[in-house]
Amino acid sequence: MHKGFYAFIVFSAGACYGILSTFVKTAYAAGLTLTDVSGMQCLFGMVFLWLSAILTVRRIPSFFQILSLASIGIPMALTTIFYYHSLESLSASLAVVFLFQSIWMGTAAESLIFKKLPEKKQLLSIILCLTGTLLSAGFLDKGADFSFSSGMVWGLLSALSYTAMMCSSSLLGKGVAPALKGALMSTGDTLLTFLLLPPVFLFDFSSWPLLLPYGFLLGIFGVALPPFLLAWGMPHVGPGLGSVLAASELPVALVMALLVLGESITPIQWAGIFLIGAGIVAGNIKNS
């Protein structure tokens, strides 16, 4: 298929992640905890992916491939936990700013892994995306607050683990069906999440009516679709460009906040969204 198609697939994976912050903020407001939202998300997502794999996959990968793909679930789980921790103390827009440091981290990782300097178009794309990130986060409207907080540390850690997930997804499991690759990744994700955050909610049946709707939505957009789409598209675009394409997360997050939470988006924030879009196009012109 045309490389632009795979670029769109990775772009869509980022868009899925953009939906999450609104759902998580809503879940916290409803009284759910980090353990609740993280655990239900990975559990539902794993079930969806394995159902898809069982129905569509015919070739079983080697034992080494199974282990290596399950290991991608480690940075996958850490990204969710770190990011959701940051959302407990930071606004959704500021948390995304820290997560978005994965843009330059991805390019730096690609340079180290493949021993090559980023292209000029790639550097321009990163500059446009980071500038757009600062604008769309509303720094010029609300004033930047750089006082230290634990949420900032969690946000940076989420960017680092997200970069590790993007790189490992790009390098491992080539030739494995996307549905099975995503299922194995989500299995590692679920095991580590349950190890770090024991799923006590599974035994509190009174909370299930509240947990199930959020678990379904977060499982689809946070676990089931992103790894499937990343497994499909990342091997064809690479971690550097892939990190830039996944920048679709921020404009989607802002639009969701506008439509669902009723938050306003200022002209400066719309300008930031435009710059991010321009950055994505600039980094992908060669491949389109």
Side-chain angles (χ1 to χ4, degrees), residues 111-179:
S111 299
L112 291 173
I113 293 170
F114 297 106
K115 309 296 182 183
K116 66 176 184 178
L117 294 175
E119 299 177 358
K120 291 181 179 179
K121 288 181 179 179
Q122 213 169 13
L123 291 174
L124 174 62
S125 178
I126 292 171
I127 292 172
L128 289 174
C129 284
L130 289 178
T131 304
T133 297
L134 294 175
L135 292 176
S136 55
F139 277 142
L140 296 184
D141 291 325
K142 296 177 287 188
D145 180 10
F146 292 106
S147 59
F148 177 80
S149 73
S150 60
M152 296 178 182
V153 177
W154 291 120
L156 287 174
L157 288 173
S158 71
L160 187 61
S161 58
Y162 186 65
T163 301
M165 182 184 69
M166 297 284 280
C167 290
S168 55
S169 180
S170 175
L171 296 172
L172 299 176
K174 293 182 178 180
V176 179

Side-chain angles (χ1 to χ4, degrees), residues 195-215:
L195 179 64
L196 297 176
L197 302 172
V200 293
F201 59 84
L202 290 177
F203 307 100
D204 182 9
F205 299 107
S206 63
S207 66
W208 280 26
L210 179 60
L211 284 170
L212 292 179
Y214 285 107

